Amino acid sequence: VSGATKFQALPVPVGRDAALMMEKAMRGEVFGKVQTLTIAQGLVNRDDGVFDNLPYELAPTKFAKKDLYDRVKGKDWPGRSLKPQSVFDSLRERFGARKAVREADASRDPAKAPYRGAYGFPAGSEDAAARLFAGYASPYALFLEAIDDMLGCSLAGALVEDACPLDDRVDVAGAIRLRPRDGRDE
Protein backbone atom coordinates (compact mmCIF):
# COMPACT_ATOMS: atom_id res chain seq x y z
CA VAL A 1 0.00 0.00 0.00
CA SER A 2 1.55 3.26 -1.08
CA GLY A 3 1.77 6.07 1.45
CA ALA A 4 1.18 3.77 4.41
CA THR A 5 3.22 4.28 7.54
CA LYS A 6 5.72 1.50 8.17
CA PHE A 7 6.78 0.56 11.69
CA GLN A 8 9.65 -1.60 12.78
CA ALA A 9 9.07 -3.23 16.13
CA LEU A 10 10.85 -5.65 18.38
CA PRO A 11 8.43 -8.03 20.07
CA VAL A 12 9.32 -8.22 23.75
CA PRO A 13 7.91 -11.07 25.83
CA VAL A 14 6.64 -9.84 29.18
CA GLY A 15 5.04 -11.56 32.12
CA ARG A 16 1.31 -11.55 32.74
CA ASP A 17 1.51 -8.99 35.57
CA ALA A 18 3.60 -6.62 33.45
CA ALA A 19 1.23 -6.98 30.50
CA LEU A 20 -1.79 -6.19 32.71
CA MET A 21 -0.02 -3.18 34.24
CA MET A 22 0.85 -1.82 30.80
CA GLU A 23 -2.70 -2.40 29.56
CA LYS A 24 -4.15 -0.45 32.50
CA ALA A 25 -1.61 2.37 32.05
CA MET A 26 -2.49 2.70 28.35
CA ARG A 27 -6.25 2.84 29.02
CA GLY A 28 -5.94 5.89 31.24
CA GLU A 29 -9.00 4.89 33.28
CA VAL A 30 -9.10 5.04 37.04
CA PHE A 31 -9.13 1.60 38.67
CA GLY A 32 -10.09 0.77 42.23
CA LYS A 33 -8.07 -0.74 45.02
CA VAL A 34 -8.61 -4.43 44.29
CA GLN A 35 -7.90 -4.13 40.55
CA THR A 36 -4.78 -2.04 41.13
CA LEU A 37 -3.27 -4.00 44.02
CA THR A 38 -3.80 -7.46 42.53
CA ILE A 39 -1.41 -6.68 39.69
CA ALA A 40 0.84 -4.13 41.44
CA GLN A 41 2.70 -6.89 43.25
CA GLY A 42 4.90 -7.39 40.19
CA LEU A 43 6.48 -3.98 40.86
CA VAL A 44 7.94 -5.07 44.20
CA ASN A 45 8.23 -8.85 43.91
CA ARG A 46 11.07 -8.97 41.40
CA ASP A 47 14.59 -9.60 42.70
CA ASP A 48 17.07 -6.84 41.87
CA GLY A 49 14.43 -4.87 39.95
CA VAL A 50 13.56 -1.18 40.09
CA PHE A 51 12.10 -1.50 43.61
CA ASP A 52 15.33 -2.95 45.03
CA ASN A 53 17.51 -0.31 43.38
CA LEU A 54 15.68 2.92 44.24
CA PRO A 55 17.76 5.58 46.06
CA TYR A 56 16.32 4.94 49.52
CA GLU A 57 19.12 7.01 51.06
CA LEU A 58 17.22 10.11 49.86
CA ALA A 59 14.24 9.25 52.07
CA PRO A 60 13.71 11.06 55.35
CA THR A 61 13.46 7.76 57.29
CA LYS A 62 15.46 4.55 57.25
CA PHE A 63 12.27 2.53 56.73
CA ALA A 64 11.38 3.95 53.30
CA LYS A 65 11.83 0.63 51.49
CA LYS A 66 9.51 -1.11 53.95
CA ASP A 67 7.00 1.74 53.70
CA LEU A 68 7.04 1.69 49.88
CA TYR A 69 6.55 -2.10 49.89
CA ASP A 70 3.64 -1.73 52.32
CA ARG A 71 2.02 0.98 50.20
CA VAL A 72 2.15 -1.15 47.04
CA LYS A 73 0.65 -3.99 49.09
CA GLY A 74 -2.31 -1.73 49.98
CA LYS A 75 -1.45 -0.20 53.33
CA ASP A 76 -2.39 3.47 53.52
CA TRP A 77 -4.66 3.44 50.49
CA PRO A 78 -6.07 6.98 50.43
CA GLY A 79 -9.56 7.10 51.87
CA ARG A 80 -9.75 3.39 52.58
CA SER A 81 -6.67 2.66 54.65
CA LEU A 82 -6.89 -0.34 56.94
CA LYS A 83 -4.48 1.12 59.49
CA PRO A 84 -6.14 0.80 62.90
CA GLN A 85 -6.29 4.58 63.42
CA SER A 86 -8.02 5.12 60.06
CA VAL A 87 -10.56 2.37 60.76
CA PHE A 88 -11.19 3.75 64.24
CA ASP A 89 -11.64 7.31 62.91
CA SER A 90 -14.03 6.05 60.25
CA LEU A 91 -16.12 4.13 62.79
CA ARG A 92 -16.24 7.09 65.19
CA GLU A 93 -17.35 9.37 62.39
CA ARG A 94 -19.95 6.91 61.13
CA PHE A 95 -21.56 6.45 64.54
CA GLY A 96 -22.23 10.09 65.37
CA ALA A 97 -18.98 11.52 66.71
CA ARG A 98 -18.35 13.68 63.62
CA LYS A 99 -17.87 16.91 65.54
CA ALA A 100 -15.55 15.25 68.05
CA VAL A 101 -13.53 13.66 65.22
CA ARG A 102 -13.13 17.00 63.43
CA GLU A 103 -12.06 18.68 66.67
CA ALA A 104 -9.61 15.88 67.48
CA ASP A 105 -8.17 16.10 63.96
CA ALA A 106 -7.74 19.87 64.27
CA SER A 107 -5.89 19.50 67.57
CA ARG A 108 -3.46 16.80 66.42
CA ASP A 109 0.21 17.24 67.10
CA PRO A 110 1.79 19.38 64.36
CA ALA A 111 4.80 17.04 64.16
CA LYS A 112 3.70 15.06 61.13
CA ALA A 113 5.14 11.98 59.53
CA PRO A 114 7.48 12.72 56.61
CA TYR A 115 5.03 10.96 54.26
CA ARG A 116 1.77 9.04 54.42
CA GLY A 117 2.23 5.68 56.14
CA ALA A 118 5.72 6.28 57.53
CA TYR A 119 6.75 3.49 59.89
CA GLY A 120 6.82 4.53 63.54
CA PHE A 121 4.56 7.55 63.10
CA PRO A 122 0.90 7.78 64.08
CA ALA A 123 -1.63 7.47 61.30
CA GLY A 124 -2.72 10.73 59.75
CA SER A 125 -6.29 11.87 59.63
CA GLU A 126 -8.18 11.35 56.40
CA ASP A 127 -10.20 14.29 55.18
CA ALA A 128 -13.33 14.17 53.02
CA ALA A 129 -11.29 14.46 49.80
CA ALA A 130 -9.18 11.44 50.74
CA ARG A 131 -12.28 9.37 51.46
CA LEU A 132 -13.61 10.18 47.97
CA PHE A 133 -10.39 8.95 46.29
CA ALA A 134 -11.42 6.61 43.47
CA GLY A 135 -8.14 4.92 42.56
CA TYR A 136 -5.13 5.06 40.27
CA ALA A 137 -4.91 4.90 36.48
CA SER A 138 -2.45 2.00 36.83
CA PRO A 139 -0.12 0.35 39.34
CA TYR A 140 2.63 2.51 37.83
CA ALA A 141 0.74 5.64 38.98
CA LEU A 142 0.61 4.23 42.53
CA PHE A 143 4.35 3.41 42.38
CA LEU A 144 5.32 6.84 41.00
CA GLU A 145 3.19 8.63 43.59
CA ALA A 146 4.94 6.67 46.35
CA ILE A 147 8.40 7.45 44.91
CA ASP A 148 7.53 11.14 44.77
CA ASP A 149 6.02 11.12 48.26
CA MET A 150 8.62 8.97 50.04
CA LEU A 151 11.87 9.67 48.18
CA GLY A 152 11.14 13.19 46.99
CA CYS A 153 11.86 12.26 43.35
CA SER A 154 10.00 12.47 40.08
CA LEU A 155 10.49 10.32 37.01
CA ALA A 156 12.89 12.06 34.62
CA GLY A 157 13.11 9.30 32.02
CA ALA A 158 13.04 5.61 31.22
CA LEU A 159 15.42 3.49 29.19
CA VAL A 160 15.04 0.11 27.53
CA GLU A 161 18.26 -1.45 26.31
CA ASP A 162 19.95 -4.66 25.28
CA ALA A 163 21.44 -5.93 28.54
CA CYS A 164 23.96 -8.17 26.72
CA PRO A 165 25.17 -6.27 23.64
CA LEU A 166 28.24 -8.46 23.16
CA ASP A 167 26.47 -11.70 22.30
CA ASP A 168 24.15 -12.64 19.44
CA ARG A 169 20.90 -12.54 21.41
CA VAL A 170 18.82 -9.66 22.73
CA ASP A 171 18.14 -9.49 26.46
CA VAL A 172 15.96 -6.48 27.13
CA ALA A 173 16.44 -4.62 30.40
CA GLY A 174 15.16 -1.32 31.64
CA ALA A 175 16.11 1.49 33.94
CA ILE A 176 14.56 4.68 35.18
CA ARG A 177 16.16 8.03 35.89
CA LEU A 178 14.84 9.97 38.86
CA ARG A 179 15.10 13.67 39.54
CA PRO A 180 15.18 14.62 43.22
CA ARG A 181 13.31 17.76 44.22
CA ASP A 182 16.64 19.49 44.84
CA GLY A 183 17.34 19.28 41.07
CA ARG A 184 20.21 16.78 40.91
CA ASP A 185 19.86 13.70 38.70
CA GLU A 186 20.04 10.24 40.26
Side-chain angles (χ1 to χ4, degrees), residues 16-25 39-40 42-43 138-140:
R16 178 169 157 63
D17 284 350
L20 286 170
M21 283 188 280
M22 286 185 267
E23 178 184 333
K24 291 196 180 298
I39 57 174
L43 292 170
S138 75
Y140 297 118

Side-chain angles (χ1 to χ4, degrees), residues 84-131:
Q85 185 63 45
S86 296
V87 172
F88 180 71
D89 286 346
S90 175
L91 289 172
R92 278 181 39 194
E93 186 171 330
R94 181 172 291 150
F95 293 106
R98 291 171 200 248
K99 182 179 178 186
V101 170
R102 285 194 303 273
E103 289 172 358
D105 288 348
S107 65
R108 282 186 188 248
D109 184 44
K112 294 184 178 179
Y115 48 80
R116 189 179 83 234
Y119 180 75
F121 291 88
S125 171
E126 294 179 339
D127 59 9
R131 286 190 290 275

Side-chain angles (χ1 to χ4, degrees), residues 24 27-32 35-36 133-138:
K24 291 196 180 298
R27 280 189 190 168
E29 299 172 14
V30 173
F31 292 91
Q35 288 179 311
T36 300
F133 179 76
Y136 294 96
S138 75

Side-chain angles (χ1 to χ4, degrees), residues 40-60:
Q41 310 314 305
L43 292 170
V44 295
N45 290 338
R46 172 166 282 158
D47 290 338
D48 205 29
V50 171
F51 173 77
D52 288 334
N53 291 292
L54 289 171
Y56 293 106
E57 66 276 3
L58 297 176

